[in-house]
């Protein structure tokens, strides 16, 4: 195979691009043709589905027509004939048959008696085959009409209708009709020829067709099923310069002797249109390809002319004709620039560089004369570099005698160059305590190992001890003379100081100088490994946040610092003292008498006003000498529980942890109760019970109190008191209050005229948005506010009287009624009643339960009722459990009563019924 030695770059670019464009043109034409044919194929598949549906509809229409005609004839037979079905019925059926055969194209009409014997027949009456007789027997037996397409030598629609006379089957009317109507209707609707065929002996047999050629051409057609519709097959045939599309349709369920339908349509014009589109795409692609090739060739010719101009200048560069190259290539470039422009610029730049190098070569002789001066300058530069480096750099021989030292060695040691050179390195640079060790190691190291030796050693200077890290390397081995040791030392004194400071900050509190939490726990872990007892105190300053808010953080910092000073001055001195964070401190004492420990705790609780030392709450736990092993985490947890107990007692209190007092168990029990309450709220297992509140004067219910009940997943009802207490402690009670309010208002909206009372927790009194929220709920459900009473406890109202007065006034302004619950348990003055805008005051049940037995309770309740009425409010007695108590309540002038005597709390459905009136 001949391969030319030179092929122009133009052809190397043009040939691959030509092949790529030709391949792209062919591929694009093929893809367009394939897409067009897929679209046509999809259209034909959709058409086949429509034709099959059309056939199914026409078949059902013909069968309904047969059944309608057969039913009418059967009715006429019953009306027009009084005896059994006999030949004399022929005269009666003759007019109907003539009309059916002429107008509707019926093939035959037959009348059978109940024994399946032919009574009379009209038209082309073929003998009934076994399939027809079986179907006839079924119709007579079931007394139901039936129709079907029956094919043997030809295909007929057969309709069978039983003739019932006085509820007894007397015979059957059988009506048949050929397929000419179906074929004609299909051809008219679809524009296709249609044939009905059946497979016999493995070959198709046409039974009926709209055009005769279908019978002769069908045997040569090779049908293939559609991939998505395997029960529909299609084919394309060519005959007499025409193209036909064939469809094999099966609208009937597959069974023996079930016919199928062959639809044919001439698609010559469609196929020719596809070919025309293909040729149009092909010629268009070829035209675009030719135009692109011409444009590419023109561009390459212009490109190669510029390339040849640049390449022809390269020999001139080798000949040294710099000026000639510049003149030849000084051609203005048009924007935008390209690689040829870059190559031209590179050639011009190369010409300039080569000219410069040529000039430099001529001047080389002059430069050699100046080389000695340059080397001298370099030596001075290296010396200056050594002297300005902020590191100790010196050389010593293998006996430790210093041969050279830079200025930094002089500055750090305070010695002059003459005092350093010739002196022993170890005497001047290594502190005495480590001098002997490093002398023996350094002077023997390079006898067995040529790798650098690194170590850190102290250096005694006039300013004190410095931490120096040294790196010693052996140099000058290849010079033939004795090698020297190059020693480079870095002063790490400041770095070591910063590291020590960082280590201090990781374990100590910067404000107080005490251990921080991390340092305290780490050292307490170490102490507990061998401790034979001790005590841990957690200290929390009282009202520290108020100090920060009112006096500023600088005042708060001063309080913290004074507390830290007080802890340092304690006697006996604590083993560990720490500020754990914020206003919390911790102390650990070695074993000491209980009296001393408690005296120390009382001292720290009291504070010192003159010295601005705040009071504190303290949690104490002890480590018993012979008790079980303890760790930091457990001791801190015990002290924290004790601190919580101390805080609950109020300011300036302490508490000694005792595992028998059940603090931990109570906390765990409350956590479990909170989990049950949260689960019930999230899974809608809360329910409202209603208890009546009776008007004492009339004995009738004035309104009902809604009480919350909690159910478990298995349907068990839990005691509500501990669950509500846990919810109040965690703040979950707000969500529960909202749930109760929504359900109560929904109940009032469903039962017009119903008055309900709902309880509000102390947490809800902290919510300033409660009146607006309540207003929105009432508006949403269109509820009269007068039908809703909200109850709050006396304790909750007194704890935040000013805030409660404002909030309750806002609720009262909406129109809702208010009740003060558990009144009397606080033993507070009655004066606050005039500040609370309540309508009802509920006397606590502890005074009512024994009202029929205790004179003291009678006197106290009487005073309460007089105070309540004196402030214009109505009294409600709780826990009225028997008739005797009710009489005392009535005698004391109490307005309303509530208790088991009138009814226990019951579900809403039991109290109000299943549906509203």
């Amino acid at each position: 195979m001949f391969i030319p030695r030179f092929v122009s770059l133009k052809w190397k670019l043009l040939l691959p691009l030509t092949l790529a464009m030709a391949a792209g043109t062919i591929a694009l034409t093929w893809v367009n043709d394939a897409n067009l044919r897929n679209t046509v194929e999809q259209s034909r598949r959709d058409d086949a589905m429509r034709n099959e549906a059309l056939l199914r509809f026409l078949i059902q229409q013909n069968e309904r027509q047969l059944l309608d005609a057969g039913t009418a004839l059967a009715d006429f037979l019953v009306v027009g004939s009084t005896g059994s079905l006999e030949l004399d019925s022929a005269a009666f059926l003759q007019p109907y048959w003539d009309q059916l055969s002429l107008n509707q194209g019926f093939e035959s009409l037959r009348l059978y008696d109940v024994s399946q014997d032919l009574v009379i027949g009209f038209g082309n009456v073929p003998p009934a085959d076994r399939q027809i007789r079986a179907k006839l027997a079924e119709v007579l037996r079931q007394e139901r009409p039936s129709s079907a397409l029956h094919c043997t030598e030809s295909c007929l629609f057969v309709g069978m209708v039983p003739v019932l006379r006085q509820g007894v089957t007397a015979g059957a009317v059988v009506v048949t009709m050929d397929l000419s109507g179906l074929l004609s209707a299909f051809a008219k609707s679809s524009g296709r020829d249609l044939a009905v065929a059946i497979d016999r002996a493995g070959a198709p047999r046409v039974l009926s067709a709209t055009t005769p050629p279908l019978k002769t051409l069908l045997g040569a057609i090779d049908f293939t099923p559609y991939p998505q519709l395997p029960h529909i097959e299609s084919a394309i045939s060519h005959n007499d310069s025409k193209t036909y599309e064939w469809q094999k349709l099966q609208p009937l369920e597959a069974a023996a002797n079930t016919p199928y339908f062959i639809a044919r349509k001439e698609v010559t014009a469609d196929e020719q249109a596809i070919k025309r589109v293909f040729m149009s795409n092909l010629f268009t692609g070829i035209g675009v390809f030719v135009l692109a090739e011409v444009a590419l060739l023109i561009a390459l010719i212009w490109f190669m002319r510029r390339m040849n101009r640049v390449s022809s200048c390269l020999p001139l560069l080798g000949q040294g004709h710099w000026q000639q190259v510049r003149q030849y290539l000084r051609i203005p470039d048009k924007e935008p620039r390209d690689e040829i422009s870059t190559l031209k610029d590179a050639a011009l730049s190369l010409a300039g560089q080569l000219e410069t190098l040529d000039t430099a070569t001529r001047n080389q002789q002059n430069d050699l004369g100046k080389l000695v001066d340059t080397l001298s300058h370099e030596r001075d530069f290296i010396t200056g570099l050594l002297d300005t480096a902020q590191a100790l750099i010196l050389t010593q021989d293998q006996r430790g005698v210093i041969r050279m030292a830079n200025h930094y060695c002089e500055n750090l040691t305070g010695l002059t160059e003459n005092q350093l050179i010739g002196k022993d390195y170890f005497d001047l640079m290594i502190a005495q305590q480590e001098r002997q060790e490093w002398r023996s190691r350094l002077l023997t190291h390079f006898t067995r190992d040529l790798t650098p030796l690194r170590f850190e050693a102290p250096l005694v200077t006039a300013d004190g001890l410095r931490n120096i890290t040294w790196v010693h390397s052996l140099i000058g081995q290849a010079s033939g003379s004795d090698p020297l040791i190059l020693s480079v030392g870095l002063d790490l004194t400041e770095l070591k100081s910063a590291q020590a400071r960082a280590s201090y900050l990781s374990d100590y509190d910067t404000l107080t100088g005490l251990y921080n939490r991390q340092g305290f726990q780490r050292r307490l872990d170490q102490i507990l490994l061998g401790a034979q007892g001790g005590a841990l105190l957690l200290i929390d300053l009282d009202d520290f946040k108020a100090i920060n808010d009112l006096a500023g953080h600088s005042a708060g910092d001063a309080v913290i610092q004074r507390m830290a000073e007080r802890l340092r001055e304690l006697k006996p001195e604590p083993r560990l003292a720490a500020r754990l964070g914020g206003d919390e401190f911790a102390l650990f004492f070695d074993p000491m008498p209980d009296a001393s420990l408690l005296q120390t705790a009382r001292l720290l609780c009291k504070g010192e006003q003159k010295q601005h030392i705040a009071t504190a709450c303290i949690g104490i736990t002890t480590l018993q000498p012979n008790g079980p092993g303890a760790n930091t985490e457990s001791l801190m947890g015990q002290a924290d529980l004790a601190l919580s107990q101390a805080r609950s007692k109020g300011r300036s209190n302490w508490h000694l942890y005792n595992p028998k007092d059940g603090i931990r168990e109570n906390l765990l029990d409350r956590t479990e109760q909170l989990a049950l309450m949260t689960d019930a709220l999230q899974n809608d297992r809360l329910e409202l019970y209603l208890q009546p509140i009776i008007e004492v004067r009339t004995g009738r219910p004035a309104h009902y109190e809604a009480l919350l009940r909690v159910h478990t997943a298995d349907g068990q009802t839990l005691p509500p008191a501990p669950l509500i207490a846990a919810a109040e402690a965690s703040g979950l009670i707000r969500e529960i209050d909202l749930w109760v309010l929504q359900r109560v208002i929904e109940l009032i909206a469903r039962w017009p005229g119903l008055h309900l009372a709902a309880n509000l927790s102390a947490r809800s009194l902290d919510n300033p948005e409660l009146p607006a929220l309540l207003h929105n709920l009432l508006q949403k459900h269109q509820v009269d506010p007068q039908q809703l009473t909200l109850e709050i406890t006396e304790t909750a109202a007194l704890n935040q009287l000013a805030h409660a007065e404002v909030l309750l006034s806002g609720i009262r302004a909406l129109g809702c009624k208010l009740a003060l619950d558990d009144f009397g348990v606080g033993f507070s003055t009655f004066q606050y009643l005039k500040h609370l805008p309540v309508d009802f005051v509920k006397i606590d049940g502890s005074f009512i339960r024994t009202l029929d037995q205790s004179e003291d309770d009678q006197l106290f309740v009487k005073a309460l009722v007089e105070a309540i009425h004196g402030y214009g409010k109505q009294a409600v007695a709780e826990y009225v459990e028997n008739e005797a108590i009710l009489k005392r309540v009535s005698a004391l002038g109490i307005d309303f009563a509530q208790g088991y005597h009138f009814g226990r709390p019951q579900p809403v459905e039991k109290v109000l019924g299943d549906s509203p009136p």
Side-chain angles (χ1 to χ4, degrees), residues 156 287 741:
L156 294 174
L741 284 176

Side-chain angles (χ1 to χ4, degrees), residues 649-669:
K649 299 175 184 178
R651 296 164 45 90
S652 187
N653 267 293
W654 58 270
H655 185 84
L656 177 62
Y657 175 79
N658 183 356
K660 297 180 180 180
D661 59 13
I663 300 175
R664 181 179 179 85
E665 289 72 15
N666 291 339
L667 182 61
L668 292 176
D669 182 63

